[in-house]
Amino acid sequence: MDKQTSVLKTLLPVFILLLLVLSATTSLIVFTSFSRSYRSTIRKNLVDQIRIIQMSLPEGPVENNTEAIRSIVNQYRTFETHHLTIMRFNGDVIADSRNEAWHRMNQVNQPEVASAINRSDHIGFFVRKDPDTDRNAFYLAKQIRDDNGNIRIIRVGIPGSLMVAGLPGVIGLIVLASVIVSIAIGLFTFNICIKPVNIMRQHADALAGNVNDKWKVRNEQTAELEKLGQSLQRMVKRFRDHLERETEQRKLLETMFRSMVDPVFVVDKHSQIQRYNKAFVKLLHIETHDISGRPVLEVIRSTKLNGFVEKTLATLLPVEEEIDFHNHYDLFFKVTGVSIDGGDGTDGTVIGAMIVMNNVTRIRKLERIRTDFVANVSHELKTPITAIRGFVETLLDGAVNQPEDATRFLKIISKQVNQLQAVIEDLLSLSRLEQEKTGNGNNLEPIQLVHLFQSAVQMCDSAARERNISIEIVCEGINIAVNRTLLLQAIINLLENAVKYGATNSVVNLFGFVKQNAVLIQVKDSGPGISKEHLERIFERFYRVDKSRSRDMGGSGLGLSIVKHIAQIHGGTVSVQSVPGKGSVFTIELPVTLLSNLPMNNQCDDSATNDSDSGAT
């Protein structure tokens, strides 16, 4: 095996080279800083010189003091390296310490003079070439004003060679000192620092996934790194196996969390949402998905839910409560909260909580429907039974011996019995309809829709004649496969309502036609109409717009509910459009798939050939 060298011998030359580069960089920074500092010092000195010169200048207009000004400038000639110029505000030279001809020319275009005229501090400072020496020089011009308001410009210049004098020696000393100190520090700290740094770097690469299981240091000249690499290879493999298992478990938990159909969210100890699933956003109709880090009360305007979260965070025991959300489409949830312990489970430190919201809205609505149904049935049965009982007791008390009263009472009892029988029959019909399977095709038979209309009109003819109401059929030639008995009952229910509540001496229209892939059956009356607040509930069981009037006319309150169920059995729907005072239009919409392949009849019959023909009067 070849002789191996240590890390120190391998990397030390590179390290020293880096230190030399660092020293050169440091020297450059020092030189730049020194230059800026020196420029600042020069500027300050020139400002001070101009201030002294200003104090010696005579007051008054230039024309009266030209000789005195030139005398002061001539005294300045003793400083061969300095250049003094005094000029008017427009740049015309009054006196110059250098008496060359060009110095007596207008100086307003010189950068330092222009800056002194235009700048707010009235000072211009520039480094430019001196035309006499062709070398860089510092020039500072300042605008001054005496007590009489006379404005002059004083300019002072010194050669730039004064700035660089001595700098090479200083810079050389700095570089030499930097190199010596850097090498000394590098040799002292290399063995202490380089090994921990290498180990930490290899660890970081391994943990970041940049090192695979086959990773190995193959540089045989570095014994330390080869041995260290072998140890780290084993450690990284064990860590990666553990990390893969943790990652799989985390993905599994994340998938379970997000696929839960019930809303679930996690909060920290400050009641701020940290995690949530899709059901939480969708079911509670949250507008924005960016809700992480926001308080529960800000996301869901529910003081009940916010109080439940705070209660959960205050205890280590599970908390259960039922919460309703009337601002979110009347939703009901059985909410379970479990706090998250940040310690080992015994110190009582709560760092957050998980809230699971089980949607029980359908169960509660069914319970409410059942309660309402029992109450309505009891009321509907109790009313005629109470009336029957009262009149029977009256007859037993002696009214039976009075023929006229007895006959009247018996007629009332008969009417109440008929009402009771109608309620029971409608309840039985509704029960049978609810047991039917929607769209299962049972008992469907092809018929001509107009024949069904004629049968329904015939059944309602007697009641229509009593109120002098005409029922008109308007129908296209439609063959349709339906449960004839059920659909006939639905049409009769709609026609009976139209006759009962329609205006006397009016017309009820019965339409049948195909529109937009649907078969429509419409009953239009000219009755009092239905207010908007009743339209959504009018197909509920026992719901009446005018309860007293409906009972007087013998209605059970189940007719429209039966129509709705019959339409659903055929895979269709029922709806109503109404304007108070202008009548109502009830529409049964059946899927076009129910259309039969029987030969179409171009004419429904004599009653359907003309829009004005009537089926019954």
Side-chain angles (χ1 to χ4, degrees), residues 88-317:
R88 292 183 174 88
F89 181 76
N90 61 1
D92 292 337
V93 176
I94 302 173
D96 189 275
S97 61
R98 297 179 184 177
N99 201 23
E100 285 78 9
W102 75 271
H103 289 300
R104 293 193 294 273
M105 298 174 61
N106 188 287
Q107 302 292 312
V108 75
N109 291 326
Q110 295 298 338
E112 67 275 5
V113 177
S115 294
I117 294 173
N118 298 321
R119 285 173 58 92
S120 59
D121 60 354
H122 307 307
I123 295 176
F125 181 67
F126 276 84
V127 179
R128 61 179 177 84
K129 282 190 177 183
D130 188 336
D132 295 332
T133 62
D134 201 31
R135 293 181 179 180
N136 284 338
F138 291 93
Y139 281 93
L140 188 141
K142 182 178 181 182
Q143 180 186 146
I144 62 174
R145 184 190 301 266
D146 59 18
D147 294 337
N148 297 322
N150 298 300
I151 300 176
R152 305 184 185 93
I153 295 176
I154 302 177
R155 181 180 65 188
V156 177
I158 61 172
S161 58
L162 294 179
M163 178 185 72
V164 298
L167 283 182
V170 173
I171 295 174
L173 290 175
I174 293 174
V175 172
L176 180 61
S178 300
V179 171
I180 294 174
V181 172
S182 299
I183 293 175
I185 294 175
L187 291 173
F188 179 78
T189 60
F190 189 87
N191 283 325
I192 299 175
C193 297
I194 193 65
K195 291 182 179 179
V197 169
N198 269 332
I199 293 174
M200 287 187 290
R201 182 181 61 80
Q202 298 287 359
H203 271 297
D205 288 343
L207 296 179
N210 295 328
V211 180
N212 55 37
D213 293 339
K214 297 181 180 180
W215 171 79
K216 183 178 180 180
V217 177
R218 300 184 181 276
N219 190 348
E220 297 179 352
Q221 294 182 349
T222 56
E224 295 91 345
L225 284 178
E226 185 174 358
K227 294 178 181 179
L228 180 61
Q230 293 173 355
S231 299
L232 289 177
Q233 183 181 4
R234 293 189 294 271
M235 183 191 71
V236 168
K237 188 178 185 305
R238 288 194 299 269
F239 176 80
R240 173 160 294 177
D241 293 340
H242 176 73
L243 184 61
E244 288 178 354
R245 289 193 298 271
E246 291 293 330
T247 302
E248 291 178 358
Q249 293 179 2
R250 182 182 294 273
K251 289 181 179 179
L252 179 61
L253 292 175
E254 184 71 18
T255 302
M256 293 173 58
F257 180 81
R258 294 192 176 277
S259 60
M260 293 180 67
V261 295
D262 290 325
V264 181
F265 65 98
V266 179
V267 298
D268 59 15
K269 61 182 179 180
H270 302 296
S271 298
Q272 295 178 340
I273 297 175
Q274 302 300 319
R275 301 288 297 278
Y276 54 92
N277 64 350
K278 294 180 179 179
F280 176 71
V281 175
K282 182 178 180 181
L283 198 57
L284 294 176
H285 305 279
I286 299 173
E287 296 181 357
T288 175
H289 290 193
D290 187 17
I291 59 177
S292 297
R294 294 170 57 185
V296 174
L297 189 59
E298 181 181 332
V299 176
I300 303 178
R301 303 290 183 177
S302 172
T303 56
K304 293 181 181 179
L305 182 61
N306 186 66
F308 178 84
V309 172
E310 293 178 352
K311 187 188 300 182
T312 303
L313 292 172
T315 179
L316 293 175
L317 300 175

Side-chain angles (χ1 to χ4, degrees), residues 9 71 102 200 238 300 305 316 348 422 448 496 542 558 617:
K9 292 181 180 179
S71 175
W102 75 271
M200 287 187 290
R238 288 194 299 269
I300 303 178
L305 182 61
L316 293 175
Q448 290 189 1
E496 286 181 344
F542 297 111
L558 296 173
T617 57

Side-chain angles (χ1 to χ4, degrees), residues 424-568:
I424 294 174
E425 288 178 352
D426 284 347
L427 284 173
L428 292 175
S429 298
L430 196 57
S431 177
R432 288 193 298 269
L433 291 173
E434 289 179 342
Q435 294 176 2
E436 293 282 347
K437 292 183 178 179
T438 301
N440 60 0
N442 290 340
N443 301 319
L444 298 184
E445 57 179 305
I447 62 171
Q448 290 189 1
L449 188 60
V450 67
H451 293 166
L452 197 66
F453 283 4
Q454 291 170 351
S455 297
V457 170
Q458 185 177 3
M459 296 292 291
C460 301
D461 180 66
S462 176
R465 289 180 181 276
E466 288 180 3
R467 305 197 65 213
N468 197 25
I469 292 178
S470 173
I471 303 177
E472 295 183 355
I473 297 175
V474 180
C475 177
E476 299 176 356
I478 299 174
N479 292 335
I480 187 169
V482 295
N483 186 313
R484 186 182 188 282
T485 303
L486 294 182
L487 191 57
L488 177 61
Q489 183 180 356
I491 298 173
I492 290 174
N493 287 359
L494 294 179
L495 288 176
E496 286 181 344
N497 284 346
V499 171
K500 287 179 183 178
Y501 302 107
T504 305
N505 302 319
S506 62
V507 177
V508 172
N509 298 107
L510 178 57
F511 299 99
F513 55 94
V514 178
K515 182 179 181 181
Q516 295 180 351
N517 296 324
V519 179
L520 301 183
I521 300 173
Q522 289 185 339
V523 176
K524 180 181 179 182
D525 64 55
S526 56
I530 304 170
S531 300
K532 185 178 181 180
E533 63 268 19
H534 299 294
L535 293 179
E536 292 184 0
R537 301 189 58 191
I538 198 169
F539 294 101
E540 295 180 7
R541 303 170 185 171
F542 297 111
Y543 188 83
R544 294 183 174 94
V545 177
D546 187 343
K547 296 183 179 180
S548 60
R549 184 183 179 190
S550 178
R551 289 196 184 95
D552 292 340
M553 293 183 175
S556 65
L558 296 173
L560 291 180
S561 181
I562 291 174
V563 173
K564 181 183 74 172
H565 281 78
I566 292 175
Q568 291 175 346

